[in-house]
Amino acid sequence: MSAMRAVSRPARSLSSNLVRQRRFASHDSHDSHHHESHDSTVYPKEGFTGPIWRNTAIAALGLYAVANFLPEILEGSTSEDGEHEAPWLTRVLAFHAPSIEEWARTNGQHLVQVEELARNAFIVQTAKPSPVVRYKNPLKFEQVSPHRTPVGGMSDMSDLVVKP
């Protein structure tokens, strides 16, 4: 009987483990990612009933009324002397615009600066490297050993004059 128990015991434990595993997987163990969380925030109704649309409609109607019922403000008027008076917006812009003398002074300064930049650009563009190569240490010509020179590797420098 002991042999029978030994054989049946692992089979029972294996089958009971499978049943437990299935039960845990399907019943007792719940993951949180299966549950949906609902947003409880209440959002306002969207549409053309918001304050921005109301204010835009009022402003458009107001501008339409001004353009139709007050044309002398927009187009200007003729005075009793027969002179044409400029429209209101043109008068406001002319009042706040800088004077002709101020524009002339600003344009003159700009012209001087542009001419200076053009001169500097011309100097840089026409610059050439110096024809004489200046060495940092001209005595290196005299420090070369004549014994370490390969055949044909040294030019005749007997008439070389080093300028410091």
Side-chain angles (χ1 to χ4, degrees):
M1 208 138 101
S2 65
M4 193 66 154
R5 279 187 191 167
V7 172
S8 66
R9 188 173 297 247
R12 265 189 271 154
S13 65
L14 180 62
S15 65
S16 63
N17 284 340
L18 289 176
V19 170
R20 263 190 236 135
Q21 285 175 357
R22 273 191 241 137
R23 189 178 68 228
F24 287 147
S26 64
H27 183 265
D28 290 341
S29 176
H30 291 289
D31 285 339
S32 62
H33 71 276
H34 291 295
H35 297 288
E36 295 182 14
S37 60
H38 297 286
D39 189 10
S40 62
T41 308
V42 178
Y43 295 102
K45 181 184 172 191
E46 294 181 5
F48 293 104
T49 57
I52 185 69
W53 296 107
R54 181 195 63 220
N55 295 344
T56 302
I58 291 172
L61 289 174
L63 288 174
Y64 178 76
V66 166
N68 280 337
F69 300 119
L70 300 173
E72 62 272 355
I73 289 178
L74 298 177
E75 298 173 1
S77 60
T78 305
S79 64
E80 296 170 356
D81 301 339
E83 275 187 39
H84 181 73
E85 189 174 293
W88 173 79
L89 185 59
T90 305
R91 291 191 309 254
V92 169
L93 292 176
F95 178 75
H96 291 290
S99 64
I100 294 175
E101 294 83 20
E102 189 175 342
W103 275 112
R105 182 181 54 79
T106 304
N107 288 340
Q109 287 177 350
H110 184 259
L111 179 64
V112 168
Q113 290 171 349
V114 168
E115 286 176 346
E116 183 180 350
L117 284 174
R119 245 182 280 117
N120 292 342
F122 179 74
I123 289 171
V124 169
Q125 289 172 354
T126 58
K128 295 178 183 171
S130 62
V132 178
V133 178
R134 303 283 180 194
Y135 290 105
K136 189 174 182 180
N137 190 1
L139 296 176
K140 288 221 176 209
F141 283 112
E142 299 168 3
Q143 291 177 352
V144 176
S145 171
H147 302 292
R148 291 209 35 138
T149 307
V151 177
M154 187 75 164
S155 304
D156 181 24
M157 299 177 72
S158 59
D159 59 344
L160 177 68
V161 178
V162 177
K163 298 180 183 177

